[in-house]
Amino acid sequence: KQEVTQIPAALSVPEGENLVLNCSFTDSAIYNLQWFRQDPGKGLTSLLLIQSSQREQTSGRLNASLDKSSGRSTLYIAASQPGDSATYLCAVRATGANNLFFGTGTRLTVIP
Amino acid sequence: DGGITQSPKYLFRKEGQNVTLSCEQNLNHDAMYWYRQDPGQGLRLIYYSQIVNDFQKGDIAEGYSVSREKKESFPLTVTSAQKNPTAFYLCASSIAPSTAHTQYFGPGTRLTVL
């Protein structure tokens, strides 16, 4: 069964820093990988979706990479802002599966 | 204003009672999903539906039931058989069950059993 791990569980950085969040998965047979943002007590907002044939996706200050063979993805956030403070979740869609397998998330705090 | 709505935002239930969580979408999406989120754990799939009048069990379906009588609605019933129902419940939808499409999430319902 697919297992998704996110390290670190929590991260605090000063405003303006660039940072990297990590996601690893055990089964490389995936269709795609998705990064979400979740604010406290709220639903999930999709940030980036990377298909298995792609290596990276970019949206504004966010860049997500995918290395399927090693079972890893990173989310790079440039010039962090206090408004980036949230929990970031990684999810993979396994081959033949209809659901997403989620990691436990990284809680990011950007200090003004 | 398109999107996914869930109601209520907070729900309290006494032990032994069934309770139904609402999920409505006006995105014209075929597929809908219910997830459960617990502290320190990733989201886990309860049920999903690929089309009207069809639904499938997810990883943790025991103690839950669903219906999909209309395309825009996918209510979840938490029955008294669910041993530990206190959790945050999230509904999602996607254009189609196809793996290429992203899932869009509602704001969630926090259920507390008293």
Side-chain angles (χ1 to χ4, degrees), chain A residues 1 31-32 34 36 38 41-44 46 49 51 89 93 97-100 102-104, chain B residues 33 35 37 40-43 45 48 50 59 88 90 97-100 102-103 105-107:
Chain A
K1 182 183 175 182
Y31 275 130
N32 57 44
Q34 201 163 355
F36 292 91
Q38 185 176 30
K42 300 291 180 62
L44 278 64
S46 178
L49 171 69
Q51 302 295 347
L89 296 164
R93 188 114 183 203
N98 287 293
N99 60 302
L100 297 173
F102 281 85
T104 52
Chain B
Y33 311 80
Y35 291 89
Q37 187 176 33
Q41 297 191 44
L43 277 70
L45 183 69
Y48 65 96
Q50 300 184 51
D59 297 326
F88 190 50
L90 288 159
S98 165
T99 55
T102 190
Q103 292 184 14
F105 282 78

Side-chain angles (χ1 to χ4, degrees), chain A residues 3 7-8 11 21 33-35 41 43 54 64 66-67 98 109:
Chain A
E3 292 185 6
I7 295 173
L11 179 65
L21 305 180
L33 183 144
Q34 201 163 355
W35 283 93
Q54 298 174 322
L66 174 64
D67 185 342
N98 287 293
T109 302

Side-chain angles (χ1 to χ4, degrees), chain A residues 42-93:
Chain A
K42 300 291 180 62
L44 278 64
T45 300
S46 178
L47 298 173
L48 291 164
L49 171 69
I50 310 176
Q51 302 295 347
S52 62
S53 59
Q54 298 174 322
R55 299 283 290 184
E56 65 177 343
Q57 282 286 335
T58 298
S59 176
R61 294 182 294 109
L62 305 180
N63 176 276
S65 68
L66 174 64
D67 185 342
K68 209 171 67 163
S69 61
S70 67
R72 293 180 184 177
S73 175
T74 61
L75 179 66
Y76 174 82
I77 303 177
S80 58
Q81 303 171 358
D84 295 331
S85 298
T87 296
Y88 291 80
L89 296 164
C90 163
V92 300
R93 188 114 183 203

Side-chain angles (χ1 to χ4, degrees), chain B:
Chain B
D1 189 22
I4 303 174
T5 58
Q6 292 186 242
S7 62
K9 185 173 182 179
Y10 298 98
L11 189 57
F12 298 90
R13 186 194 96 177
K14 292 182 180 179
E15 281 193 26
Q17 287 182 336
N18 292 353
V19 64
T20 297
L21 283 60
S22 169
C23 177
E24 304 277 332
Q25 53 97 1
N26 61 4
L27 302 169
N28 201 34
H29 285 176
D30 283 323
M32 297 187 73
Y33 311 80
W34 273 106
Y35 291 89
R36 169 181 171 140
Q37 187 176 33
D38 295 280
Q41 297 191 44
L43 277 70
R44 292 179 291 168
L45 183 69
I46 304 172
Y47 267 98
Y48 65 96
S49 169
Q50 300 184 51
I51 198 168
V52 174
N53 293 321
D54 177 74
F55 49 83
Q56 307 292 331
K57 291 182 179 180
D59 297 326
I60 55 166
E62 185 176 353
Y64 299 97
S65 65
V66 294
S67 62
R68 186 86 186 277
E69 297 176 359
K70 298 185 295 183
K71 187 175 185 177
E72 58 271 22
S73 179
F74 190 41
L76 173 74
T77 297
V78 184
T79 74
S80 56
Q82 168 51 233
K83 300 295 184 222
N84 185 21
T86 294
F88 190 50
Y89 290 87
L90 288 159
C91 177
S93 70
S94 62
I95 294 174
S98 165
T99 55
H101 296 108
T102 190
Q103 292 184 14
Y104 296 87
F105 282 78
T109 292
R110 185 166 298 281
L111 172 65
T112 302
V113 174
L114 304 172

